[in-house]
Amino acid sequence: MQSNQAQNNPTNSLSARDRLRLLERVFKDGVSVSDACRAFNISRNTFYKWARRNSQRIKSGQDELQSLQNQNPRRRRASQQRIPIETEQIIRGIVALHPGWGKRRIHTELRRRIISVGIHGVGNALTRLQLNTPQLRQRYHEALASNTPLGKLLTAQDRARLVERVLRGRIPLSIVSRDCGVSRLTLYKWLGRYNRALRDDKDVLGALEDRERRVERWGNQATGEQERQVLEIVRTAPAWGKYRLSQKLREQYGFISLGIHGVSNVLKRNDLATAQQRKTWAAIQIEPAVRPQAGWE
C-alpha cells in the first residue's frame, strides 16, 4: 500500500522521512536500487543524490532528516544572449516618445541608430519591461506625462506575471525590479500578498489589486481626552490660537498636555483652524439661557 501511494506522488512530494525509509530499504533490507526507485517512482539519479547527501550527513554529524529535505533551487542567471541594459533603456525611451510603435518599428529605429538588435530581442525586451502590448505602452506614456509611479500602471495580471518570474522562473528579484521599473520594496510587497493568498486559498489577482490606505488613528495622535480638553478651552476662548491654547493646556494639565503641533492637528481635524471657525463653533456651543419658572422673583 505504501508503494502504491508513493507511485502516485511526484519526487518533490516525498518527505524527508520517506526518503530516509527509501534508503533504508536499499542499504538495510537489501532491496535493489531499481526496484526501490520503481516503487517510489523516482529516478536512479535522484536516489544516488539522496544517498550522497546521507553519507555526507554521517560524516558531518548533521541531522538525518535535515539532509534529505528539499533544497532551494539555484537561481537562473540572466541569459548570455540578452541585450545590454543600455539598449533596453533606449527602447524604453523610444516607447515613451512613440507609444504606438510595435517591436518592428522600434527595431527599425534601433537599426537607424546603428544598434544591432533583432526583432525577437526587441520583443523580449518589451516583455521584460512590461511594455509588450499597446495598452501598456500607452499607459507608460501617460504615466510619464503625469509623473505617476510605474507600479500604478500594472494590473493585477501584470503584477502576478512579475511575481511568477521570481517564484517560478527563479529570476533574481533585483533583475525583475530593474526590468519593470518598480522598486524592490514594491515587488516584495506583491510577493508577500501573492504567497499569503496561495496559503489562505484566496484569489491571487484580488490580493494584488491596489488598496486604499486607511489609518484609523496614528500612534502619537492626541487621545479623545486631550481633544476634549482643547475643545473646552476653545469654547471659552475662541480667539486664542494654537500657541495660547498650548500654553493654557500646560498651565492646567502640566506635562500630559499637547504641544503646539498637537493642538494645531486637533484644530484641523475639527475644522477649527481659523479664528472665525472657532468663534462660529463656540457660539453654537453656548447653552441657551434657562427661563425662570413662574412665580420666581
Side-chain angles (χ1 to χ4, degrees), residues 249-264:
L249 285 172
R250 286 196 300 270
E251 293 175 357
Q252 289 189 3
Y253 303 102
F255 68 93
I256 63 173
S257 63
L258 290 175
I260 297 174
H261 188 66
V263 172
S264 176

Side-chain angles (χ1 to χ4, degrees), residues 45-63:
N45 290 335
T46 301
F47 171 82
Y48 287 118
K49 178 181 67 176
W50 293 344
R52 285 194 301 270
R53 288 187 192 174
N54 189 55
S55 62
Q56 293 173 359
R57 184 269 308 174
I58 297 175
K59 296 179 181 179
S60 61
Q62 187 181 8
D63 181 75

Side-chain angles (χ1 to χ4, degrees), residues 33 53-54 65 88 91 117 156 173 176 219 235 245 250 296:
V33 175
R53 288 187 192 174
N54 189 55
L65 296 181
E88 289 189 355
I91 293 175
V117 180
L173 188 139
V176 177
R235 188 179 67 85
L245 291 172
R250 286 196 300 270
W296 180 81

